[in-house]
Amino acid sequence: MIFDSHAHYDDAAFDEDREELLNGLVDAGVGTVVNVGASLEGVRRTVELTEAYPFVYGAAGVHPDEVGALNEENFQWLKDQCRREKIVAVGEIGLDYYWDKEDRSMQKEWFVRQLHMAEELKLPVIIHSREAAADTLEILKRERDPGCPAVMHCYSYSPEMAKEYLKMGFYLGIGGVLTFKNGKKLKETVAEAPMERLLLETDCPYLAPVPYRGKRNDSGKLMLVAEELGRIKGISAQEVIRITEENARRFFRLRQEEER
Ligand code: NI
């Protein structure tokens, strides 16, 4: 079944019908969701979602746009949340020079501290990097424990840069952008990347695939991404779903089937 490795069901965009939507995901072929808390409040709500839905797991971390809210006290709280059984990754963490909401030196500092926290807790990391390719790569090369699995969420850089990350053992998060007309760079990246290193992700409510581009996204729409990925790789959508689910279970260290 579809494994959505990156969703934000804590987002206000789902306030009106969250329960109905989540309960309907199984019928849309979705087996597992990792909800990514990207702010302190997002982490709190992610923990609630993991408690309410057996098929929802969580990632806890503070997005580069939100690191201004971090201090020693709430960083300790964040670490405590990461020790919960259903929190399976640290993220999303990284650098965002597109929005540049927080000072870059502060973004870097909290990125590094959260990377080290993941290493200490032996959790995989979900990396957010936007228009910050060089600094992200430099920090990851210098600070990341090579034993700590990592995924580049919503991979948006060049196919050449992807090779660097793949060499370092990274996974690539692939979502709706793959279906966009201007998604050529990503199609090239995916064509060259080994199938075993790809994870399906929505980043919902954002980045809905064509023909829903611009509308609210949800995990059920990953079928359209799987179909496009299958076309590029010359395999069926079902095969894409099977392999990416296996990949995600390996990445997040979840056992097969049992949790459902
Ligand atoms: Ni995200």
Side-chain angles (χ1 to χ4, degrees):
M1 290 180 89
I2 291 172
F3 191 122
D4 185 354
S5 65
H6 192 122
H8 300 285
Y9 286 111
D10 53 297
D11 194 281
F14 297 106
D15 281 355
E16 297 215 334
D17 60 348
R18 183 175 292 108
E19 197 179 337
E20 197 188 335
L21 181 75
L22 284 167
N23 286 328
L25 284 182
V26 170
D27 290 334
V30 179
T32 317
V33 170
V34 171
N35 200 77
V36 177
S39 63
L40 293 167
E41 175 61 14
V43 169
R44 193 185 65 72
R45 301 191 64 181
T46 294
V47 168
E48 283 176 5
L49 287 169
T50 65
E51 285 168 350
Y53 299 91
F55 62 93
V56 176
Y57 292 80
V62 174
H63 186 286
D65 288 352
E66 303 282 342
V67 291
L70 280 169
N71 57 41
E72 294 309 320
E73 195 187 336
N74 56 33
F75 186 59
Q76 185 56 49
W77 175 86
L78 178 66
K79 200 174 187 176
D80 292 342
Q81 305 315 302
C82 288
R83 289 199 170 95
R84 288 173 182 268
E85 205 186 326
K86 286 189 83 185
I87 297 296
V88 293
V90 171
E92 54 190 290
I93 61 172
L95 302 173
D96 194 316
Y97 296 172
Y98 176 78
W99 292 111
D100 248 337
K101 272 181 76 179
E102 300 293 344
D103 179 73
R104 291 185 181 181
S105 64
M106 198 193 285
Q107 289 191 36
K108 288 182 195 167
E109 183 192 328
W110 286 110
F111 179 23
V112 170
R113 288 194 65 181
Q114 293 184 91
L115 267 180
H116 292 170
M117 175 177 81
E119 183 186 328
E120 185 190 332
L121 300 173
K122 299 201 167 17
L123 286 173
V125 288
I126 299 170
I127 308 293
H128 171 103
S129 177
R130 194 160 180 202
E131 295 193 8
D135 282 2
T136 305
L137 187 62
E138 191 251 330
I139 287 176
L140 287 167
K141 278 193 166 154
R142 194 182 63 220
E143 304 286 347
R144 171 181 159 262
D145 173 353
C148 175
V151 60
M152 292 303 287
H153 151 56
C154 190
Y155 185 77
S156 62
Y157 297 135
S158 68
E160 294 74 41
M161 178 74 88
K163 282 187 195 134
E164 283 280 321
Y165 280 115
L166 290 166
K167 252 191 278 169
M168 289 160 68
F170 276 60
Y171 288 69
L172 305 177
I174 308 298
V177 176
L178 193 67
T179 68
F180 293 180
K181 268 216 178 77
N182 55 357
K184 196 168 155 268
K185 226 173 35 170
L186 183 62
K187 287 183 210 274
E188 273 174 51
T189 299
V190 159
E192 290 174 28
M195 200 54 219
E196 288 63 37
R197 296 286 193 80
L198 303 179
L199 302 182
L200 290 183
E201 59 165 46
T202 51
D203 204 22
C204 67
Y206 310 107
L207 298 174
V210 171
Y212 301 101
R213 189 171 181 182
K215 305 237 167 66
R216 188 181 75 170
N217 198 4
D218 67 77
S219 309
K221 296 188 171 65
L222 276 176
M223 183 54 89
L224 293 159
V225 177
E227 282 169 1
E228 182 59 29
L229 184 48
R231 262 193 292 277
I232 295 169
K233 290 293 198 187
I235 58 177
S236 68
Q238 282 315 316
E239 193 65 356
V240 169
I241 287 166
R242 186 188 65 76
I243 298 171
T244 51
E245 181 181 21
E246 249 177 51
N247 296 347
R249 289 189 172 274
R250 186 187 326 120
F251 180 81
F252 292 112
R253 301 180 176 121
L254 293 174
R255 286 155 299 163
Q256 292 296 329
E257 308 297 325
E258 288 167 47
E259 304 89 347
R260 293 214 191 113

